[in-house]
Amino acid sequence: MGLLRAAGVVYKPVEQLDLGPDSNEIYVEADIKAPRMGGLLAKIFAWILESRIFGALAFYILKRLNRVHKFISNATVEEPPMFVPLHPYVDLDEQEVIEIDSDASPAERVQQAMNCLPLTSENSLDAFKFSCFRRWTIADYSRAYRNGEITPLKVAERFIYAVHESSSRPLSIAFFINYDAEDILRQATESTLRYERGAPISALDGVPIAVKDEIDCSPYPTTGGTKWLHKVRPCTGDACCVARLRSCGAILVGKTNMHELGATPSGINPHYGPPRNPYDPSRISGGSSSGSAAVVCAGLCPAALGVDGGGSVRMPASLSGVVGFKPTFGRIPHSGVLPLNWTVGMVGVLAGTLEDAFIVYAAISGHLPSHEPTTLPPKIHFPLLNSTNPISNIKLAIYGEWFNDCNEEIRLRCSNAVQLLCERYNWKTVEVTIPELEVMRLAHYVTIGSECSTALSSHLENFRGRSEFGWDARVVVDIYGAFNSNEYIKAQKLRYRHMQIHNKIFAKADVIVTPTTGMTAYSISKNALKTGELDYVNGGTIIRYQIAGNFLGLPAITVPVGYDKAGLPIGLQFIGKPWSEPTLMHLAFAMQALCITDYRKPKVFYDILGKK
């Protein structure tokens, strides 16, 4: 195919790039060349890709049409490769923070996080009267338990009933791949006894927390959304993050549904059913941490764990109207998580409120096990959300063409939210240009694809394993395996290049602000239910603003800011400097306070603490 070789881009040095508002760098829109495929069409496409005769030609055409050859394979990149997005720790001198003892236990960190939150009413549950929709928070659970208004055991019983009821609705919500009523009741009984003795472990004691089925959590197998992976990789105990939650007394209520192998942003799983959006059960909840987003949105848990390899926490959080938080690469231990994407995946938190995301983050963050890659151990700072002095002089970087590359309702809602934030706190926006964003998306795709393919390589030789794939995941894994070492190295060179570009942006501003997704949740097609679906066009629109967080290891958070005309949630995202989690939480907390009176109750919602 040498005669058909596509010309590659010659990238000029980063020093020559103009990142100002009047830059002549062109914004390159995603131009994804792939039809939506589900049902029989997905099967046919998989057969073509796996054909010895047509497969190589199909891969070549796909790479060329989607500009992988132009921007990566045949490109000239002078920068050295960066294989792991490790950031040296820098003390950012953030405002209104407190340094936390690195040797503090998870329960001690939870208490310190609680001390950073504003005081809340000590009224009973029956006395709460809200003028707007509000989910029960971790603080609500803790207070109700301490006051004896309800017990963890009663909450567990209501939870189990609600999960059962959700499965027998006209449209099953498919929250979980696995949950064990007996184990949940055992944990709840132990927690109830601790409260009766007046000795709860922490504010998380007795609080139901769900775990994405990409993270080890005893006694459940870890399937990664598949029907086979747990057979060749048995779960032998808790992941580090889960163990830390368990040590705080949290009730681990099961393994949430997810897109098979985290393959696409839709979250549709042909094996376990599509986790449906509680705001509209005919639509996706987003992926791949789809079940975790849906279970929080529907009120079953105040928080859940997800894994964010390509926006897989933030996208479903936004589409489902909850908070989604992805810390800096290396901030949370990754041991016990399926090794599908070593250098782009991070454990993250989905929660009903910023406060709950903060509390769970406090429990699971901390020093990494010695075998995990890291620089010098970073200091841990918590945001003083109870401070009477709001942080000041914040500069929000906005790349206008990118920010506006979404549907009109999202653009208006997010623009108005940023304006409201700036007017309230006298913060400033800074117009910037972030070049080569489409290049970064493709480089991330090559990276996550190569890493996933390598991680699964020893199993892909087994035909039985391949035959048990959903057809959409089968196609994705076939495409992942088509990337070669040259393309992977080029992608890592581009990673280093974009790290330098973003460092220059962060020299001008504190955070980058964007919509979280380019569209709201779309409808679930019937022909995707048994085969899954490949919808790269809608997928590209959903993932548009996610890549820097994963490819460059940057912290990012999404917070709900409103709804479209169909009543579907819209999220706003803040992307921060490495190790700037406290500042991101301050921003999200401020945004939440300005928007919380507009929050709407989902169509599917379970009042676990209240009366049925």
Side-chain angles (χ1 to χ4, degrees), residues 79-82 492-501:
E79 283 81 9
M82 170 179 276
Q492 307 322 299
K493 290 186 171 192
L494 288 164
R495 176 184 262 168
Y496 182 87
R497 177 180 178 83
H498 281 275
M499 196 75 83
Q500 309 314 305
I501 290 172

Side-chain angles (χ1 to χ4, degrees), residues 137-142 145 152 155 187 191 195 202-210 248-253 300-303 356 360:
T137 67
I138 290 170
D140 293 331
Y141 280 89
S142 180
Y145 294 157
V155 165
Q187 295 178 74
S191 178
Y195 278 100
S202 76
L204 279 172
D205 204 334
V207 176
I209 303 290
C248 294
I251 300 177
L252 287 311
V253 294
L300 286 170
C301 300
D356 287 351
V360 173

Side-chain angles (χ1 to χ4, degrees), residues 64-128:
R64 178 156 183 163
L65 287 177
N66 289 285
R67 300 180 291 191
V68 174
H69 289 160
K70 177 180 179 180
F71 289 136
I72 298 177
S73 313
N74 303 329
T76 300
V77 193
E78 296 302 328
E79 283 81 9
M82 170 179 276
F83 294 102
V84 182
L86 288 174
H87 299 276
Y89 179 75
V90 175
D91 194 334
L92 299 174
D93 193 25
E94 294 175 281
Q95 303 175 55
E96 300 302 322
V97 301
I98 183 172
E99 184 172 347
I100 302 302
D101 183 357
S102 60
D103 294 325
S105 70
E108 289 169 337
R109 290 198 297 271
V110 166
Q111 183 56 54
Q112 290 169 324
M114 296 295 292
N115 294 341
C116 294
L117 298 179
L119 293 176
T120 55
S121 170
E122 289 290 333
N123 290 335
S124 69
L125 295 180
D126 291 336
F128 279 121

